[in-house]
Amino acid sequence: GQNIDQPTEMTATEGAIVQINCTYQTSGFNGLFWYQQHAGEAPTFLSYNVLDGLEEKGRFSSFLSRSKGYSYLLLKELQMKDSASYLCAVRDSNYQLIWGAGTKLIIKP
Amino acid sequence: IAGITQAPTSQILAAGRRMTLRCTQDMRHNAMYWYRQDLGLGLRLIHYSNTAGTTGKGEVPDGYSVSRANTDDFPLTLASAVPSQTSVYFCASSDSRTGGNEQFFGPGTRLTVL
């Protein structure tokens, strides 16, 4: 079966750095996505990785290792507004997204 | 309108009733999707449409139907609602023709079936 694993919840301090991990087992691989979802709102796109390595976009970076079935999202200089759920999703061989359950990130002052 | 809209925002429905959730996008995206999101689970694909006039089944299609008569609209119908269909429903769209990878989501419909 297809499976996306990520931690249920993480806590970090304002101004710090946090890494959210995602491991996957899917039928085929056509890219990995990270989305942010604030409580009661829709998911919004953060990053996309299809090749191994690090993609940097401002305070957010995303890393992919296809051989290990592993990705992480790195958030730097954490702000209170970063409190949200972070969703990992993999596009499979049918070009459909398979979603993890999300990681709820709590930022403390 | 700009982007993707859904209606209603929320709805309480008696079991056995028929209900249509509406979704409209003005971005001329070819692909559209319906997901449900339940606590502790990832988004699960119900149905999708890669282009107007075509639809496909996702991971959890039973009890739901869709149509795609034109590019902009992608309604989701529950023929006879059951309590297990209580969920938050998100519509999304993407433009796969230009290599776009991002799915844009509507604000969601919170449905409660009693």
Side-chain angles (χ1 to χ4, degrees), chain A residues 33 35 37 40-45 48 87 91 95-97 99-102, chain B residues 33 35 37 40-43 45 48 50 90 100-103 105-107 110:
Chain A
F33 298 77
Y35 279 75
Q37 185 177 26
E41 298 183 7
T44 56
F45 172 78
Y48 169 70
L87 314 181
R91 188 159 58 191
Y95 275 75
Q96 301 301 342
L97 290 183
W99 296 80
Chain B
Y33 314 86
Y35 292 96
Q37 187 174 41
L41 299 177
L43 289 161
L45 183 66
Y48 66 92
N50 288 328
F90 286 104
N101 297 303
E102 177 182 355
Q103 287 189 11
F105 283 79
R110 184 173 297 274

PDB file of all heavy atoms in Angstrom, chain A residues 33 35 37 40-45 48 87 91 95-97 99-102, chain B residues 33 35 37 40-43 45 48 50 90 100-103 105-107 110:
ATOM      1  N   PHE A  33       5.508  17.326  -2.345  1.00  0.00           N
ATOM      2  CA  PHE A  33       4.999  18.664  -2.062  1.00  0.00           C
ATOM      3  C   PHE A  33       4.898  18.881  -0.561  1.00  0.00           C
ATOM      4  O   PHE A  33       4.606  17.944   0.193  1.00  0.00           O
ATOM      5  CB  PHE A  33       3.593  18.833  -2.657  1.00  0.00           C
ATOM      6  CG  PHE A  33       3.515  18.702  -4.139  1.00  0.00           C
ATOM      7  CD1 PHE A  33       3.556  17.452  -4.751  1.00  0.00           C
ATOM      8  CD2 PHE A  33       3.400  19.821  -4.940  1.00  0.00           C
ATOM      9  CE1 PHE A  33       3.486  17.314  -6.120  1.00  0.00           C
ATOM     10  CE2 PHE A  33       3.314  19.699  -6.321  1.00  0.00           C
ATOM     11  CZ  PHE A  33       3.363  18.449  -6.913  1.00  0.00           C
ATOM     12  N   TYR A  35       2.725  21.538   1.969  1.00  0.00           N
ATOM     13  CA  TYR A  35       1.688  22.552   2.075  1.00  0.00           C
ATOM     14  C   TYR A  35       1.589  22.988   3.537  1.00  0.00           C
ATOM     15  O   TYR A  35       1.857  22.211   4.462  1.00  0.00           O
ATOM     16  CB  TYR A  35       0.319  21.993   1.642  1.00  0.00           C
ATOM     17  CG  TYR A  35       0.095  21.950   0.156  1.00  0.00           C
ATOM     18  CD1 TYR A  35       0.719  20.980  -0.627  1.00  0.00           C
ATOM     19  CD2 TYR A  35      -0.726  22.873  -0.474  1.00  0.00           C
ATOM     20  CE1 TYR A  35       0.508  20.936  -1.987  1.00  0.00           C
ATOM     21  CE2 TYR A  35      -0.949  22.833  -1.841  1.00  0.00           C
ATOM     22  CZ  TYR A  35      -0.315  21.856  -2.594  1.00  0.00           C
ATOM     23  OH  TYR A  35      -0.522  21.823  -3.954  1.00  0.00           O
ATOM     24  N   GLN A  37      -1.144  24.557   6.359  1.00  0.00           N
ATOM     25  CA  GLN A  37      -2.579  24.709   6.594  1.00  0.00           C
ATOM     26  C   GLN A  37      -2.813  25.280   7.985  1.00  0.00           C
ATOM     27  O   GLN A  37      -2.576  24.609   8.993  1.00  0.00           O
ATOM     28  CB  GLN A  37      -3.305  23.372   6.450  1.00  0.00           C
ATOM     29  CG  GLN A  37      -4.827  23.502   6.556  1.00  0.00           C
ATOM     30  CD  GLN A  37      -5.550  22.177   6.343  1.00  0.00           C
ATOM     31  OE1 GLN A  37      -5.000  21.106   6.580  1.00  0.00           O
ATOM     32  NE2 GLN A  37      -6.807  22.259   5.891  1.00  0.00           N
ATOM     33  N   GLY A  40      -8.648  25.736  10.380  1.00  0.00           N
ATOM     34  CA  GLY A  40      -9.877  26.232   9.791  1.00  0.00           C
ATOM     35  C   GLY A  40      -9.737  26.807   8.400  1.00  0.00           C
ATOM     36  O   GLY A  40     -10.708  27.369   7.868  1.00  0.00           O
ATOM     37  N   GLU A  41      -8.544  26.681   7.815  1.00  0.00           N
ATOM     38  CA  GLU A  41      -8.316  27.248   6.491  1.00  0.00           C
ATOM     39  C   GLU A  41      -7.911  26.163   5.492  1.00  0.00           C
ATOM     40  O   GLU A  41      -7.723  25.009   5.844  1.00  0.00           O
ATOM     41  CB  GLU A  41      -7.244  28.331   6.566  1.00  0.00           C
ATOM     42  CG  GLU A  41      -7.646  29.502   7.447  1.00  0.00           C
ATOM     43  CD  GLU A  41      -6.594  30.604   7.452  1.00  0.00           C
ATOM     44  OE1 GLU A  41      -5.618  30.524   6.678  1.00  0.00           O
ATOM     45  OE2 GLU A  41      -6.766  31.550   8.239  1.00  0.00           O
ATOM     46  N   ALA A  42      -7.776  26.575   4.250  1.00  0.00           N
ATOM     47  CA  ALA A  42      -7.370  25.650   3.195  1.00  0.00           C
ATOM     48  C   ALA A  42      -5.856  25.489   3.171  1.00  0.00           C
ATOM     49  O   ALA A  42      -5.120  26.384   3.587  1.00  0.00           O
ATOM     50  CB  ALA A  42      -7.846  26.179   1.840  1.00  0.00           C
ATOM     51  N   PRO A  43      -5.369  24.355   2.676  1.00  0.00           N
ATOM     52  CA  PRO A  43      -3.918  24.198   2.495  1.00  0.00           C
ATOM     53  C   PRO A  43      -3.400  25.176   1.445  1.00  0.00           C
ATOM     54  O   PRO A  43      -4.086  25.465   0.455  1.00  0.00           O
ATOM     55  CB  PRO A  43      -3.778  22.758   1.998  1.00  0.00           C
ATOM     56  CG  PRO A  43      -5.046  22.073   2.385  1.00  0.00           C
ATOM     57  CD  PRO A  43      -6.098  23.124   2.330  1.00  0.00           C
ATOM     58  N   THR A  44      -2.184  25.669   1.664  1.00  0.00           N
ATOM     59  CA  THR A  44      -1.530  26.523   0.670  1.00  0.00           C
ATOM     60  C   THR A  44      -0.146  25.951   0.373  1.00  0.00           C
ATOM     61  O   THR A  44       0.545  25.457   1.260  1.00  0.00           O
ATOM     62  CB  THR A  44      -1.402  27.978   1.148  1.00  0.00           C
ATOM     63  OG1 THR A  44      -0.715  27.995   2.399  1.00  0.00           O
ATOM     64  CG2 THR A  44      -2.754  28.631   1.312  1.00  0.00           C
ATOM     65  N   PHE A  45       0.236  26.042  -0.878  1.00  0.00           N
ATOM     66  CA  PHE A  45       1.467  25.446  -1.386  1.00  0.00           C
ATOM     67  C   PHE A  45       2.705  26.128  -0.803  1.00  0.00           C
ATOM     68  O   PHE A  45       2.784  27.352  -0.721  1.00  0.00           O
ATOM     69  CB  PHE A  45       1.476  25.581  -2.906  1.00  0.00           C
ATOM     70  CG  PHE A  45       2.754  25.185  -3.575  1.00  0.00           C
ATOM     71  CD1 PHE A  45       3.067  23.856  -3.776  1.00  0.00           C
ATOM     72  CD2 PHE A  45       3.638  26.157  -4.024  1.00  0.00           C
ATOM     73  CE1 PHE A  45       4.245  23.493  -4.407  1.00  0.00           C
ATOM     74  CE2 PHE A  45       4.815  25.809  -4.658  1.00  0.00           C
ATOM     75  CZ  PHE A  45       5.124  24.474  -4.852  1.00  0.00           C
ATOM     76  N   TYR A  48       8.032  22.306  -3.690  1.00  0.00           N
ATOM     77  CA  TYR A  48       7.959  21.129  -4.562  1.00  0.00           C
ATOM     78  C   TYR A  48       9.370  20.635  -4.820  1.00  0.00           C
ATOM     79  O   TYR A  48      10.260  21.428  -5.183  1.00  0.00           O
ATOM     80  CB  TYR A  48       7.279  21.517  -5.874  1.00  0.00           C
ATOM     81  CG  TYR A  48       7.351  20.485  -6.971  1.00  0.00           C
ATOM     82  CD1 TYR A  48       6.636  19.304  -6.879  1.00  0.00           C
ATOM     83  CD2 TYR A  48       8.124  20.709  -8.109  1.00  0.00           C
ATOM     84  CE1 TYR A  48       6.692  18.358  -7.895  1.00  0.00           C
ATOM     85  CE2 TYR A  48       8.179  19.768  -9.122  1.00  0.00           C
ATOM     86  CZ  TYR A  48       7.466  18.599  -9.018  1.00  0.00           C
ATOM     87  OH  TYR A  48       7.514  17.668 -10.016  1.00  0.00           O
ATOM     88  N   LEU A  87       1.686  19.759   5.735  1.00  0.00           N
ATOM     89  CA  LEU A  87       1.259  18.543   5.049  1.00  0.00           C
ATOM     90  C   LEU A  87       2.280  18.132   4.000  1.00  0.00           C
ATOM     91  O   LEU A  87       2.674  18.953   3.169  1.00  0.00           O
ATOM     92  CB  LEU A  87      -0.097  18.761   4.363  1.00  0.00           C
ATOM     93  CG  LEU A  87      -1.190  19.462   5.166  1.00  0.00           C
ATOM     94  CD1 LEU A  87      -2.467  19.572   4.324  1.00  0.00           C
ATOM     95  CD2 LEU A  87      -1.467  18.750   6.464  1.00  0.00           C
ATOM     96  N   ARG A  91       3.249  12.766  -5.272  1.00  0.00           N
ATOM     97  CA  ARG A  91       2.501  12.496  -6.499  1.00  0.00           C
ATOM     98  C   ARG A  91       2.929  11.130  -7.013  1.00  0.00           C
ATOM     99  O   ARG A  91       4.109  10.908  -7.297  1.00  0.00           O
ATOM    100  CB  ARG A  91       2.763  13.590  -7.535  1.00  0.00           C
ATOM    101  CG  ARG A  91       1.877  13.471  -8.768  1.00  0.00           C
ATOM    102  CD  ARG A  91       1.786  14.781  -9.506  1.00  0.00           C
ATOM    103  NE  ARG A  91       3.075  15.287  -9.929  1.00  0.00           N
ATOM    104  CZ  ARG A  91       3.293  16.502 -10.405  1.00  0.00           C
ATOM    105  NH1 ARG A  91       2.284  17.349 -10.505  1.00  0.00           N
ATOM    106  NH2 ARG A  91       4.493  16.875 -10.784  1.00  0.00           N
ATOM    107  N   TYR A  95      -0.179  10.190 -11.110  1.00  0.00           N
ATOM    108  CA  TYR A  95      -0.153  11.656 -11.006  1.00  0.00           C
ATOM    109  C   TYR A  95      -1.213  12.193 -10.047  1.00  0.00           C
ATOM    110  O   TYR A  95      -1.694  13.305 -10.204  1.00  0.00           O
ATOM    111  CB  TYR A  95      -0.262  12.316 -12.394  1.00  0.00           C
ATOM    112  CG  TYR A  95       1.081  12.420 -13.065  1.00  0.00           C
ATOM    113  CD1 TYR A  95       1.671  11.298 -13.615  1.00  0.00           C
ATOM    114  CD2 TYR A  95       1.782  13.619 -13.109  1.00  0.00           C
ATOM    115  CE1 TYR A  95       2.933  11.375 -14.201  1.00  0.00           C
ATOM    116  CE2 TYR A  95       3.020  13.710 -13.685  1.00  0.00           C
ATOM    117  CZ  TYR A  95       3.603  12.579 -14.229  1.00  0.00           C
ATOM    118  OH  TYR A  95       4.842  12.668 -14.806  1.00  0.00           O
ATOM    119  N   GLN A  96      -1.563  11.369  -9.051  1.00  0.00           N
ATOM    120  CA  GLN A  96      -2.442  11.823  -7.988  1.00  0.00           C
ATOM    121  C   GLN A  96      -1.629  12.032  -6.720  1.00  0.00           C
ATOM    122  O   GLN A  96      -0.622  11.340  -6.495  1.00  0.00           O
ATOM    123  CB  GLN A  96      -3.562  10.812  -7.729  1.00  0.00           C
ATOM    124  CG  GLN A  96      -4.443  10.533  -8.932  1.00  0.00           C
ATOM    125  CD  GLN A  96      -5.138  11.768  -9.479  1.00  0.00           C
ATOM    126  OE1 GLN A  96      -5.257  12.794  -8.800  1.00  0.00           O
ATOM    127  NE2 GLN A  96      -5.590  11.682 -10.722  1.00  0.00           N
ATOM    128  N   LEU A  97      -2.064  12.974  -5.886  1.00  0.00           N
ATOM    129  CA  LEU A  97      -1.354  13.265  -4.652  1.00  0.00           C
ATOM    130  C   LEU A  97      -1.807  12.330  -3.537  1.00  0.00           C
ATOM    131  O   LEU A  97      -3.011  12.151  -3.316  1.00  0.00           O
ATOM    132  CB  LEU A  97      -1.581  14.714  -4.231  1.00  0.00           C
ATOM    133  CG  LEU A  97      -0.928  15.787  -5.085  1.00  0.00           C
ATOM    134  CD1 LEU A  97      -1.193  17.162  -4.492  1.00  0.00           C
ATOM    135  CD2 LEU A  97       0.558  15.554  -5.222  1.00  0.00           C
ATOM    136  N   TRP A  99      -1.468  11.997   0.495  1.00  0.00           N
ATOM    137  CA  TRP A  99      -1.185  12.958   1.552  1.00  0.00           C
ATOM    138  C   TRP A  99      -0.868  12.307   2.880  1.00  0.00           C
ATOM    139  O   TRP A  99      -1.495  11.303   3.261  1.00  0.00           O
ATOM    140  CB  TRP A  99      -2.404  13.872   1.754  1.00  0.00           C
ATOM    141  CG  TRP A  99      -2.739  14.714   0.579  1.00  0.00           C
ATOM    142  CD1 TRP A  99      -3.419  14.325  -0.544  1.00  0.00           C
ATOM    143  CD2 TRP A  99      -2.396  16.081   0.392  1.00  0.00           C
ATOM    144  NE1 TRP A  99      -3.517  15.387  -1.410  1.00  0.00           N
ATOM    145  CE2 TRP A  99      -2.914  16.462  -0.868  1.00  0.00           C
ATOM    146  CE3 TRP A  99      -1.710  17.025   1.164  1.00  0.00           C
ATOM    147  CZ2 TRP A  99      -2.756  17.766  -1.362  1.00  0.00           C
ATOM    148  CZ3 TRP A  99      -1.557  18.307   0.672  1.00  0.00           C
ATOM    149  CH2 TRP A  99      -2.082  18.670  -0.580  1.00  0.00           C
ATOM    150  N   GLY A 100       0.088  12.871   3.594  1.00  0.00           N
ATOM    151  CA  GLY A 100       0.286  12.511   4.981  1.00  0.00           C
ATOM    152  C   GLY A 100      -0.778  13.178   5.840  1.00  0.00           C
ATOM    153  O   GLY A 100      -1.496  14.068   5.376  1.00  0.00           O
ATOM    154  N   ALA A 101      -0.858  12.750   7.103  1.00  0.00           N
ATOM    155  CA  ALA A 101      -1.877  13.285   8.014  1.00  0.00           C
ATOM    156  C   ALA A 101      -1.547  14.684   8.511  1.00  0.00           C
ATOM    157  O   ALA A 101      -2.406  15.347   9.091  1.00  0.00           O
ATOM    158  CB  ALA A 101      -2.069  12.335   9.194  1.00  0.00           C
ATOM    159  N   GLY A 102      -0.307  15.121   8.273  1.00  0.00           N
ATOM    160  CA  GLY A 102       0.067  16.468   8.673  1.00  0.00           C
ATOM    161  C   GLY A 102       0.767  16.508  10.016  1.00  0.00           C
ATOM    162  O   GLY A 102       0.546  15.655  10.881  1.00  0.00           O
TER     163      GLY A 102
ATOM    164  N   TYR B  33     -10.280  18.710  -8.443  1.00  0.00           N
ATOM    165  CA  TYR B  33     -10.253  17.597  -7.498  1.00  0.00           C
ATOM    166  C   TYR B  33     -11.229  17.866  -6.345  1.00  0.00           C
ATOM    167  O   TYR B  33     -11.436  19.015  -5.973  1.00  0.00           O
ATOM    168  CB  TYR B  33      -8.849  17.455  -6.893  1.00  0.00           C
ATOM    169  CG  TYR B  33      -7.715  17.527  -7.891  1.00  0.00           C
ATOM    170  CD1 TYR B  33      -7.189  18.757  -8.272  1.00  0.00           C
ATOM    171  CD2 TYR B  33      -7.175  16.379  -8.439  1.00  0.00           C
ATOM    172  CE1 TYR B  33      -6.159  18.842  -9.181  1.00  0.00           C
ATOM    173  CE2 TYR B  33      -6.130  16.450  -9.352  1.00  0.00           C
ATOM    174  CZ  TYR B  33      -5.630  17.686  -9.714  1.00  0.00           C
ATOM    175  OH  TYR B  33      -4.606  17.757 -10.631  1.00  0.00           O
ATOM    176  N   TYR B  35     -11.498  16.575  -2.314  1.00  0.00           N
ATOM    177  CA  TYR B  35     -10.896  15.850  -1.205  1.00  0.00           C
ATOM    178  C   TYR B  35     -11.825  15.945   0.008  1.00  0.00           C
ATOM    179  O   TYR B  35     -12.575  16.899   0.160  1.00  0.00           O
ATOM    180  CB  TYR B  35      -9.562  16.480  -0.793  1.00  0.00           C
ATOM    181  CG  TYR B  35      -8.441  16.377  -1.781  1.00  0.00           C
ATOM    182  CD1 TYR B  35      -8.166  17.417  -2.662  1.00  0.00           C
ATOM    183  CD2 TYR B  35      -7.611  15.263  -1.806  1.00  0.00           C
ATOM    184  CE1 TYR B  35      -7.107  17.342  -3.551  1.00  0.00           C
ATOM    185  CE2 TYR B  35      -6.542  15.177  -2.686  1.00  0.00           C
ATOM    186  CZ  TYR B  35      -6.300  16.229  -3.554  1.00  0.00           C
ATOM    187  OH  TYR B  35      -5.246  16.146  -4.429  1.00  0.00           O
ATOM    188  N   GLN B  37     -11.268  15.835   4.312  1.00  0.00           N
ATOM    189  CA  GLN B  37     -10.241  15.877   5.343  1.00  0.00           C
ATOM    190  C   GLN B  37     -10.886  15.560   6.688  1.00  0.00           C
ATOM    191  O   GLN B  37     -11.781  16.268   7.138  1.00  0.00           O
ATOM    192  CB  GLN B  37      -9.566  17.250   5.400  1.00  0.00           C
ATOM    193  CG  GLN B  37      -8.372  17.296   6.346  1.00  0.00           C
ATOM    194  CD  GLN B  37      -7.634  18.619   6.282  1.00  0.00           C
ATOM    195  OE1 GLN B  37      -8.232  19.693   6.200  1.00  0.00           O
ATOM    196  NE2 GLN B  37      -6.306  18.562   6.312  1.00  0.00           N
ATOM    197  N   GLY B  40      -6.912  13.499  11.990  1.00  0.00           N
ATOM    198  CA  GLY B  40      -5.980  12.393  12.121  1.00  0.00           C
ATOM    199  C   GLY B  40      -5.667  11.670  10.830  1.00  0.00           C
ATOM    200  O   GLY B  40      -4.812  10.783  10.811  1.00  0.00           O
ATOM    201  N   LEU B  41      -6.340  12.059   9.758  1.00  0.00           N
ATOM    202  CA  LEU B  41      -6.090  11.438   8.453  1.00  0.00           C
ATOM    203  C   LEU B  41      -5.625  12.495   7.474  1.00  0.00           C
ATOM    204  O   LEU B  41      -5.941  13.679   7.625  1.00  0.00           O
ATOM    205  CB  LEU B  41      -7.365  10.783   7.923  1.00  0.00           C
ATOM    206  CG  LEU B  41      -7.973   9.663   8.758  1.00  0.00           C
ATOM    207  CD1 LEU B  41      -9.272   9.181   8.125  1.00  0.00           C
ATOM    208  CD2 LEU B  41      -6.997   8.516   8.920  1.00  0.00           C
ATOM    209  N   GLY B  42      -4.888  12.044   6.472  1.00  0.00           N
ATOM    210  CA  GLY B  42      -4.509  12.968   5.410  1.00  0.00           C
ATOM    211  C   GLY B  42      -5.690  13.273   4.513  1.00  0.00           C
ATOM    212  O   GLY B  42      -6.731  12.615   4.575  1.00  0.00           O
ATOM    213  N   LEU B  43      -5.530  14.266   3.675  1.00  0.00           N
ATOM    214  CA  LEU B  43      -6.536  14.536   2.652  1.00  0.00           C
ATOM    215  C   LEU B  43      -6.712  13.283   1.798  1.00  0.00           C
ATOM    216  O   LEU B  43      -5.734  12.648   1.400  1.00  0.00           O
ATOM    217  CB  LEU B  43      -6.084  15.694   1.768  1.00  0.00           C
ATOM    218  CG  LEU B  43      -6.100  17.085   2.398  1.00  0.00           C
ATOM    219  CD1 LEU B  43      -5.212  18.040   1.621  1.00  0.00           C
ATOM    220  CD2 LEU B  43      -7.524  17.604   2.449  1.00  0.00           C
ATOM    221  N   LEU B  45      -8.541  11.728  -1.670  1.00  0.00           N
ATOM    222  CA  LEU B  45      -9.134  12.104  -2.943  1.00  0.00           C
ATOM    223  C   LEU B  45     -10.428  11.333  -3.175  1.00  0.00           C
ATOM    224  O   LEU B  45     -10.457  10.103  -3.100  1.00  0.00           O
ATOM    225  CB  LEU B  45      -8.144  11.830  -4.078  1.00  0.00           C
ATOM    226  CG  LEU B  45      -8.576  12.235  -5.478  1.00  0.00           C
ATOM    227  CD1 LEU B  45      -8.716  13.754  -5.586  1.00  0.00           C
ATOM    228  CD2 LEU B  45      -7.559  11.725  -6.506  1.00  0.00           C
ATOM    229  N   TYR B  48     -11.815  13.148  -9.282  1.00  0.00           N
ATOM    230  CA  TYR B  48     -11.033  14.159  -9.961  1.00  0.00           C
ATOM    231  C   TYR B  48     -11.492  14.275 -11.407  1.00  0.00           C
ATOM    232  O   TYR B  48     -12.222  13.427 -11.918  1.00  0.00           O
ATOM    233  CB  TYR B  48      -9.537  13.831  -9.898  1.00  0.00           C
ATOM    234  CG  TYR B  48      -9.156  12.572 -10.656  1.00  0.00           C
ATOM    235  CD1 TYR B  48      -8.745  12.619 -11.981  1.00  0.00           C
ATOM    236  CD2 TYR B  48      -9.218  11.328 -10.025  1.00  0.00           C
ATOM    237  CE1 TYR B  48      -8.411  11.462 -12.666  1.00  0.00           C
ATOM    238  CE2 TYR B  48      -8.890  10.171 -10.710  1.00  0.00           C
ATOM    239  CZ  TYR B  48      -8.491  10.240 -12.018  1.00  0.00           C
ATOM    240  OH  TYR B  48      -8.167   9.091 -12.697  1.00  0.00           O
ATOM    241  N   ASN B  50      -9.541  15.538 -15.091  1.00  0.00           N
ATOM    242  CA  ASN B  50      -8.338  16.059 -15.745  1.00  0.00           C
ATOM    243  C   ASN B  50      -8.664  17.110 -16.810  1.00  0.00           C
ATOM    244  O   ASN B  50      -7.794  17.897 -17.191  1.00  0.00           O
ATOM    245  CB  ASN B  50      -7.532  14.925 -16.372  1.00  0.00           C
ATOM    246  CG  ASN B  50      -6.836  14.079 -15.317  1.00  0.00           C
ATOM    247  OD1 ASN B  50      -6.443  14.578 -14.267  1.00  0.00           O
ATOM    248  ND2 ASN B  50      -6.670  12.788 -15.586  1.00  0.00           N
ATOM    249  N   PHE B  90     -12.764  19.760   0.556  1.00  0.00           N
ATOM    250  CA  PHE B  90     -11.995  20.761  -0.175  1.00  0.00           C
ATOM    251  C   PHE B  90     -12.014  20.447  -1.657  1.00  0.00           C
ATOM    252  O   PHE B  90     -11.771  19.312  -2.072  1.00  0.00           O
ATOM    253  CB  PHE B  90     -10.535  20.786   0.301  1.00  0.00           C
ATOM    254  CG  PHE B  90     -10.337  21.414   1.643  1.00  0.00           C
ATOM    255  CD1 PHE B  90     -10.116  20.625   2.760  1.00  0.00           C
ATOM    256  CD2 PHE B  90     -10.357  22.796   1.795  1.00  0.00           C
ATOM    257  CE1 PHE B  90      -9.926  21.198   3.995  1.00  0.00           C
ATOM    258  CE2 PHE B  90     -10.166  23.379   3.036  1.00  0.00           C
ATOM    259  CZ  PHE B  90      -9.956  22.577   4.143  1.00  0.00           C
ATOM    260  N   GLY B 100       2.385  23.023 -14.474  1.00  0.00           N
ATOM    261  CA  GLY B 100       2.144  23.536 -13.132  1.00  0.00           C
ATOM    262  C   GLY B 100       2.017  22.400 -12.135  1.00  0.00           C
ATOM    263  O   GLY B 100       1.355  21.417 -12.391  1.00  0.00           O
ATOM    264  N   ASN B 101       2.662  22.542 -11.019  1.00  0.00           N
ATOM    265  CA  ASN B 101       2.651  21.484 -10.043  1.00  0.00           C
ATOM    266  C   ASN B 101       1.736  21.759  -8.864  1.00  0.00           C
ATOM    267  O   ASN B 101       1.379  20.853  -8.144  1.00  0.00           O
ATOM    268  CB  ASN B 101       4.072  21.264  -9.524  1.00  0.00           C
ATOM    269  CG  ASN B 101       5.007  20.808 -10.621  1.00  0.00           C
ATOM    270  OD1 ASN B 101       4.746  19.804 -11.256  1.00  0.00           O
ATOM    271  ND2 ASN B 101       6.057  21.550 -10.842  1.00  0.00           N
ATOM    272  N   GLU B 102       1.393  23.003  -8.700  1.00  0.00           N
ATOM    273  CA  GLU B 102       0.681  23.403  -7.499  1.00  0.00           C
ATOM    274  C   GLU B 102      -0.814  23.177  -7.641  1.00  0.00           C
ATOM    275  O   GLU B 102      -1.404  23.484  -8.680  1.00  0.00           O
ATOM    276  CB  GLU B 102       0.944  24.887  -7.248  1.00  0.00           C
ATOM    277  CG  GLU B 102       0.224  25.500  -6.075  1.00  0.00           C
ATOM    278  CD  GLU B 102       0.528  26.983  -5.964  1.00  0.00           C
ATOM    279  OE1 GLU B 102       1.365  27.478  -6.740  1.00  0.00           O
ATOM    280  OE2 GLU B 102      -0.076  27.646  -5.109  1.00  0.00           O
ATOM    281  N   GLN B 103      -1.424  22.629  -6.601  1.00  0.00           N
ATOM    282  CA  GLN B 103      -2.866  22.574  -6.521  1.00  0.00           C
ATOM    283  C   GLN B 103      -3.343  23.747  -5.666  1.00  0.00           C
ATOM    284  O   GLN B 103      -2.809  23.977  -4.588  1.00  0.00           O
ATOM    285  CB  GLN B 103      -3.347  21.248  -5.916  1.00  0.00           C
ATOM    286  CG  GLN B 103      -3.195  20.067  -6.848  1.00  0.00           C
ATOM    287  CD  GLN B 103      -3.873  18.806  -6.336  1.00  0.00           C
ATOM    288  OE1 GLN B 103      -4.645  18.828  -5.379  1.00  0.00           O
ATOM    289  NE2 GLN B 103      -3.594  17.679  -6.991  1.00  0.00           N
ATOM    290  N   PHE B 105      -6.395  25.400  -3.529  1.00  0.00           N
ATOM    291  CA  PHE B 105      -7.542  24.883  -2.790  1.00  0.00           C
ATOM    292  C   PHE B 105      -8.587  25.961  -2.547  1.00  0.00           C
ATOM    293  O   PHE B 105      -8.264  27.128  -2.322  1.00  0.00           O
ATOM    294  CB  PHE B 105      -7.092  24.331  -1.437  1.00  0.00           C
ATOM    295  CG  PHE B 105      -6.429  22.989  -1.537  1.00  0.00           C
ATOM    296  CD1 PHE B 105      -5.112  22.870  -1.931  1.00  0.00           C
ATOM    297  CD2 PHE B 105      -7.141  21.835  -1.239  1.00  0.00           C
ATOM    298  CE1 PHE B 105      -4.503  21.634  -2.032  1.00  0.00           C
ATOM    299  CE2 PHE B 105      -6.549  20.594  -1.330  1.00  0.00           C
ATOM    300  CZ  PHE B 105      -5.225  20.495  -1.735  1.00  0.00           C
ATOM    301  N   GLY B 106      -9.846  25.544  -2.571  1.00  0.00           N
ATOM    302  CA  GLY B 106     -10.932  26.397  -2.127  1.00  0.00           C
ATOM    303  C   GLY B 106     -10.965  26.448  -0.607  1.00  0.00           C
ATOM    304  O   GLY B 106     -10.238  25.708   0.058  1.00  0.00           O
ATOM    305  N   PRO B 107     -11.841  27.286  -0.045  1.00  0.00           N
ATOM    306  CA  PRO B 107     -11.868  27.482   1.408  1.00  0.00           C
ATOM    307  C   PRO B 107     -12.490  26.329   2.183  1.00  0.00           C
ATOM    308  O   PRO B 107     -12.370  26.275   3.404  1.00  0.00           O
ATOM    309  CB  PRO B 107     -12.704  28.752   1.571  1.00  0.00           C
ATOM    310  CG  PRO B 107     -13.562  28.783   0.358  1.00  0.00           C
ATOM    311  CD  PRO B 107     -12.736  28.207  -0.745  1.00  0.00           C
ATOM    312  N   ARG B 110     -17.708  22.630   5.400  1.00  0.00           N
ATOM    313  CA  ARG B 110     -17.804  21.771   6.593  1.00  0.00           C
ATOM    314  C   ARG B 110     -19.191  21.156   6.606  1.00  0.00           C
ATOM    315  O   ARG B 110     -20.185  21.871   6.756  1.00  0.00           O
ATOM    316  CB  ARG B 110     -17.558  22.591   7.854  1.00  0.00           C
ATOM    317  CG  ARG B 110     -17.533  21.763   9.124  1.00  0.00           C
ATOM    318  CD  ARG B 110     -17.114  22.633  10.320  1.00  0.00           C
ATOM    319  NE  ARG B 110     -15.768  23.143  10.175  1.00  0.00           N
ATOM    320  CZ  ARG B 110     -14.674  22.500  10.537  1.00  0.00           C
ATOM    321  NH1 ARG B 110     -14.774  21.292  11.076  1.00  0.00           N
ATOM    322  NH2 ARG B 110     -13.483  23.060  10.395  1.00  0.00           N
TER     323      ARG B 110
END
